[in-house]
Amino acid sequence: MKIEGYWLASGILGVTGSIMQRVSEAGADAIVTKSIGRTPRKGHAGPILTTSHGGVINAVGLTNPGIEAFADEISVLKDAGIPVILSVFGLSVREIVEVVNIGYTFHPDAIELNLSCPHAEIAQIAHNPELTYEYVRAVKKAVDCQVFAKLTPNASDYVSVGKSAEKAGADAIVAINTVRAMRIDIQQQRPVLGNKVGGLSGPPIFPIAVRCVYDLYNALEIPIIGVGGVTTWKDAIEMHLAGASAIQVGTALLNGMQVFEEIKSGIREYLKEMGYSHVSEIIGIAGRK
Ligand SMILES: Cc1cc2nc3c(=O)[nH]c(=O)nc-3n(C[C@H](O)[C@H](O)[C@H](O)COP(=O)(O)O)c2cc1C
């Protein structure tokens, strides 16, 4: 699939085929599903969500129905001709290969590897270049479609992790997953979330995502898919200037699905006013100035 346009990010409304189809009808150019694992998983005890400083902290805990039960949801999208990226996770290399072997039979357009959810057991994978290499390499050997590696800003050396993913054959990097965060209830004097720690998303993480996309774009050859706090068309332009070929939108959808059309029309206007004919002309140019 072409790595361009504005996509639904993993985990936000990406659980049932019919809701994902609605997001596509609202203007998303491709849909990334919720991350799916080998077996059904309940997730963390509540509360699993709280708001903070204009963003959201979640500790959902990778709740999902298991890969076998997900075939029907993907086929809703495939039947409607909607590009779909299956997001998967695995608690070991062997397990993620099992998941993609099954998921591949659903014919997704690409597979996104969640190597980095900050409030689940898989949090550490994308902190480690060698482990990241093993995961990406094993999946690339198992399937014959594009594979994207999703990284975390919680790793101090995410550029080395990105380089490892590239060396292992990743077709693109997705940056970033949520930022490890927590809130404390001052009346109860204890953490708000059931899992205590969660992942921050939305506007507060936007500058962090821009930094990561910029660093990765300037160190790697493969395309970067930018995600993190994108809420307006101006954010999307900034993300492209930093180096994102495609952009995913998650938390901004809490304010409505019109966000995709707003981003796309704002970008069309910007390109026209600035004298560009295609968005590809602005990707990564901030790093050349
Ligand atoms: C409620 C919620 C659930 C999420 N679930 C997943 C998930 O299953 N897999 C994944 O890779 N990322 C997941 N994410 C992270 C998003 O895909 C995205 O990387 C992050 O939220 C930053 O983008 P945003 O600020 O546009 O939301 C989740 C985020 C939220 C808010």
Side-chain angles (χ1 to χ4, degrees), residues 9-12 33-35 49 56 58 60 62 87 112 114 150 176-178 200-203 205 227-230 248-252:
S10 180
I12 296 101
T33 70
K34 171 84 194 154
S35 294
L49 267 187
V56 168
N58 92 83
V60 172
L62 295 174
S87 173
E112 183 175 294
N114 180 356
K150 188 165 179 182
I176 56 176
N177 213 315
T178 54
L200 179 64
S201 63
I205 71 167
V227 52
V230 174
Q248 297 179 2
V249 180
T251 302

Side-chain angles (χ1 to χ4, degrees), residues 70-104:
F70 208 61
D72 291 350
E73 313 305 338
I74 301 256
S75 68
V76 171
L77 300 174
K78 293 296 299 180
D79 292 350
I82 298 165
V84 53
I85 298 126
L86 174 63
S87 173
V88 296
F89 70 94
L91 304 185
S92 64
V93 172
R94 208 174 117 196
E95 191 178 276
I96 207 165
V97 168
E98 275 176 40
V99 177
V100 298
N101 278 335
I102 299 167
Y104 186 60

Side-chain angles (χ1 to χ4, degrees), residues 112-130:
E112 183 175 294
L113 306 181
N114 180 356
L115 306 173
S116 50
C117 178
H119 48 82
E121 304 90 311
I122 60 165
Q124 290 306 314
I125 303 167
H127 284 254
N128 182 326
E130 288 78 39

Side-chain angles (χ1 to χ4, degrees), residues 103-169:
Y104 186 60
T105 65
F106 311 157
H107 308 292
D109 294 275
I111 289 178
E112 183 175 294
L113 306 181
N114 180 356
L115 306 173
S116 50
C117 178
H119 48 82
E121 304 90 311
I122 60 165
Q124 290 306 314
I125 303 167
H127 284 254
N128 182 326
E130 288 78 39
L131 207 49
T132 298
Y133 181 90
E134 278 179 39
Y135 269 77
V136 175
R137 189 89 204 112
V139 171
K140 276 301 287 182
K141 276 193 187 156
V143 297
D144 194 16
C145 66
Q146 285 174 308
V147 174
F148 309 148
K150 188 165 179 182
L151 303 191
T152 173
N154 303 317
S156 50
D157 196 4
Y158 54 82
V159 170
S160 296
V161 177
K163 282 185 178 164
S164 272
E166 179 174 71
K167 208 166 121 200

